[in-house]
Coordinates of all heavy atoms in Angstrom, one line a residue:
R1164 N 1.9 -8.4 9.0 CA 0.6 -8.2 9.7 C -0.6 -8.9 8.9 O -1.4 -9.5 9.6 CB 0.3 -6.7 9.9 CG 1.0 -6.0 11.0 CD 0.6 -4.6 11.1 NE -0.8 -4.4 11.3 CZ -1.5 -3.3 11.0 NH1 -0.8 -2.3 10.5 NH2 -2.8 -3.2 11.3
M1165 N -0.6 -8.7 7.6 CA -1.7 -9.3 6.9 C -1.6 -10.8 7.0 O -2.7 -11.5 7.2 CB -1.6 -8.9 5.4 CG -2.0 -7.4 5.2 SD -2.1 -7.0 3.4 CE -0.4 -6.9 2.9
A1166 N -0.4 -11.4 6.9 CA -0.3 -12.8 7.0 C -0.7 -13.3 8.4 O -1.4 -14.3 8.5 CB 1.2 -13.2 6.7
A1167 N -0.3 -12.6 9.4 CA -0.6 -13.0 10.8 C -2.1 -12.9 11.1 O -2.7 -13.8 11.7 CB 0.2 -12.2 11.8
E1168 N -2.7 -11.8 10.7 CA -4.1 -11.6 10.9 C -5.0 -12.6 10.1 O -6.1 -13.0 10.6 CB -4.5 -10.2 10.6 CG -3.9 -9.2 11.6 CD -4.1 -7.7 11.2 OE1 -4.9 -7.5 10.3 OE2 -3.4 -6.9 11.8
A1169 N -4.5 -13.0 9.0 CA -5.2 -14.0 8.2 C -5.0 -15.4 8.6 O -5.8 -16.3 8.2 CB -4.8 -13.9 6.7
G1170 N -4.0 -15.7 9.5 CA -3.7 -17.0 10.0 C -3.1 -17.9 9.0 O -3.2 -19.1 9.1
V1171 N -2.3 -17.4 8.0 CA -1.7 -18.3 7.0 C -0.4 -18.8 7.6 O 0.3 -18.1 8.4 CB -1.4 -17.5 5.7 CG1 -2.7 -17.0 5.1 CG2 -0.4 -16.4 5.9
P1172 N 0.0 -20.0 7.2 CA 1.2 -20.6 7.8 C 2.5 -20.1 7.1 O 3.6 -20.2 7.7 CB 1.0 -22.1 7.7 CG 0.1 -22.2 6.5 CD -0.8 -21.0 6.5
R1173 N 2.4 -19.7 5.8 CA 3.6 -19.4 5.1 C 3.5 -18.0 4.4 O 2.4 -17.7 3.8 CB 3.9 -20.5 4.0 CG 4.0 -21.9 4.6 CD 4.2 -22.9 3.5 NE 5.5 -22.9 2.9 CZ 5.9 -23.5 1.8 NH1 4.9 -24.2 1.1 NH2 7.1 -23.5 1.3
L1174 N 4.6 -17.3 4.4 CA 4.6 -16.0 3.8 C 5.8 -15.9 2.8 O 6.9 -16.2 3.3 CB 4.7 -14.9 4.9 CG 4.9 -13.4 4.4 CD1 3.8 -12.9 3.6 CD2 5.2 -12.6 5.7
V1175 N 5.5 -15.5 1.6 CA 6.6 -15.2 0.7 C 6.7 -13.7 0.4 O 5.7 -13.1 -0.1 CB 6.5 -16.0 -0.6 CG1 7.6 -15.6 -1.6 CG2 6.4 -17.5 -0.4
L1176 N 7.8 -13.1 0.7 CA 8.0 -11.6 0.4 C 8.6 -11.5 -0.9 O 9.6 -12.2 -1.3 CB 8.8 -11.0 1.5 CG 8.3 -11.0 2.9 CD1 9.3 -10.4 3.9 CD2 6.9 -10.4 3.0
T1177 N 8.2 -10.5 -1.7 CA 8.6 -10.4 -3.1 C 8.5 -9.0 -3.6 O 8.1 -8.1 -2.8 CB 7.9 -11.4 -4.1 OG1 8.5 -11.4 -5.3 CG2 6.4 -11.0 -4.2
H1178 N 8.9 -8.7 -4.8 CA 8.7 -7.4 -5.5 C 9.7 -6.4 -4.8 O 9.2 -5.3 -4.3 CB 7.3 -6.9 -5.4 CG 7.0 -5.8 -6.5 ND1 7.3 -6.0 -7.8 CD2 6.4 -4.6 -6.3 CE1 6.9 -4.9 -8.4 NE2 6.3 -4.1 -7.6
F1179 N 11.0 -6.7 -4.8 CA 11.9 -5.9 -4.0 C 12.6 -4.8 -4.8 O 13.1 -5.1 -5.9 CB 13.1 -6.8 -3.5 CG 12.6 -8.0 -2.6 CD1 13.0 -9.3 -2.9 CD2 11.8 -7.8 -1.5 CE1 12.6 -10.3 -2.1 CE2 11.4 -8.8 -0.7 CZ 11.8 -10.1 -1.0
Y1180 N 12.5 -3.6 -4.3 CA 13.3 -2.5 -4.9 C 14.7 -2.8 -4.4 O 15.0 -3.4 -3.4 CB 12.8 -1.2 -4.4 CG 11.7 -0.6 -5.2 CD1 10.4 -0.5 -4.7 CD2 11.8 -0.2 -6.5 CE1 9.3 0.0 -5.4 CE2 10.8 0.3 -7.3 CZ 9.5 0.4 -6.7 OH 8.5 0.9 -7.5
P1181 N 15.8 -2.2 -5.1 CA 17.1 -2.5 -4.8 C 17.5 -2.3 -3.3 O 18.3 -3.1 -2.7 CB 17.9 -1.6 -5.7 CG 17.1 -1.5 -6.9 CD 15.7 -1.4 -6.4
P1182 N 17.0 -1.2 -2.6 CA 17.4 -1.1 -1.2 C 17.0 -2.3 -0.3 O 17.6 -2.5 0.7 CB 16.6 0.2 -0.7 CG 16.4 0.9 -2.0 CD 16.2 -0.1 -3.1
C1183 N 16.0 -3.1 -0.7 CA 15.7 -4.3 0.0 C 16.8 -5.3 0.1 O 16.9 -6.0 1.1 CB 14.4 -4.9 -0.6 SG 12.9 -4.0 -0.3
D1184 N 17.6 -5.3 -0.9 CA 18.7 -6.3 -0.9 C 19.8 -6.0 0.1 O 20.6 -6.9 0.4 CB 19.3 -6.5 -2.3 CG 18.3 -7.1 -3.3 OD1 17.5 -7.9 -2.8 OD2 18.4 -6.8 -4.5
Q1185 N 19.8 -4.8 0.6 CA 20.8 -4.4 1.6 C 20.2 -4.3 3.0 O 20.8 -4.0 4.0 CB 21.5 -3.1 1.3 CG 22.5 -3.2 0.2 CD 21.9 -3.3 -1.2 OE1 21.0 -2.5 -1.6 NE2 22.4 -4.3 -2.0
A1186 N 18.9 -4.6 3.1 CA 18.1 -4.4 4.3 C 17.8 -5.7 5.0 O 17.8 -6.7 4.4 CB 16.9 -3.6 4.1
D1187 N 17.6 -5.6 6.3 CA 17.1 -6.8 7.1 C 15.6 -6.8 7.0 O 14.9 -5.9 7.6 CB 17.5 -6.6 8.5 CG 17.0 -7.8 9.4 OD1 16.3 -8.7 8.9 OD2 17.2 -7.7 10.6
L1188 N 15.0 -7.7 6.2 CA 13.6 -7.7 6.0 C 12.9 -8.7 7.0 O 11.7 -8.5 7.3 CB 13.2 -8.2 4.6 CG 13.8 -7.4 3.4 CD1 13.4 -8.0 2.1 CD2 13.4 -5.9 3.5
L1189 N 13.7 -9.7 7.4 CA 13.1 -10.7 8.3 C 12.8 -10.3 9.7 O 11.7 -10.6 10.3 CB 14.0 -11.9 8.3 CG 14.2 -12.7 7.0 CD1 15.2 -13.8 7.1 CD2 12.8 -13.2 6.5
T1190 N 13.7 -9.5 10.3 CA 13.5 -9.1 11.7 C 12.2 -8.3 11.9 O 11.4 -8.7 12.8 CB 14.7 -8.3 12.2 OG1 15.8 -9.1 12.2 CG2 14.4 -7.8 13.6
P1191 N 11.9 -7.3 11.1 CA 10.6 -6.6 11.3 C 9.4 -7.4 11.0 O 8.3 -7.3 11.6 CB 10.7 -5.3 10.4 CG 11.8 -5.7 9.4 CD 12.8 -6.6 10.1
A1192 N 9.6 -8.3 10.0 CA 8.4 -9.2 9.7 C 8.1 -10.2 10.8 O 7.0 -10.5 11.1 CB 8.7 -10.0 8.4
R1193 N 9.2 -10.7 11.5 CA 9.0 -11.7 12.5 C 8.4 -11.1 13.8 O 8.0 -11.9 14.7 CB 10.3 -12.4 12.8 CG 10.7 -13.4 11.7 CD 12.0 -14.1 11.9 NE 12.2 -15.2 10.9 CZ 13.4 -15.5 10.4 NH1 14.4 -14.8 10.7 NH2 13.5 -16.4 9.5
K1194 N 8.4 -9.8 13.9 CA 7.8 -9.2 15.1 C 6.3 -9.4 15.0 O 5.6 -9.3 16.0 CB 8.1 -7.7 15.1 CG 9.6 -7.4 15.4 CD 9.8 -5.9 15.4 CE 11.3 -5.6 15.8 NZ 11.6 -4.1 15.8

Side-chain angles (χ1 to χ4, degrees):
R1164 280 181 61 200
M1165 289 189 284
E1168 292 172 10
V1171 303
R1173 304 175 77 192
L1174 170 65
V1175 178
L1176 300 179
T1177 189
H1178 201 52
F1179 302 128
Y1180 278 112
C1183 288
D1184 289 332
Q1185 284 75 51
D1187 178 5
L1188 305 179
L1189 293 177
T1190 298
R1193 285 180 174 141
K1194 291 179 180 179

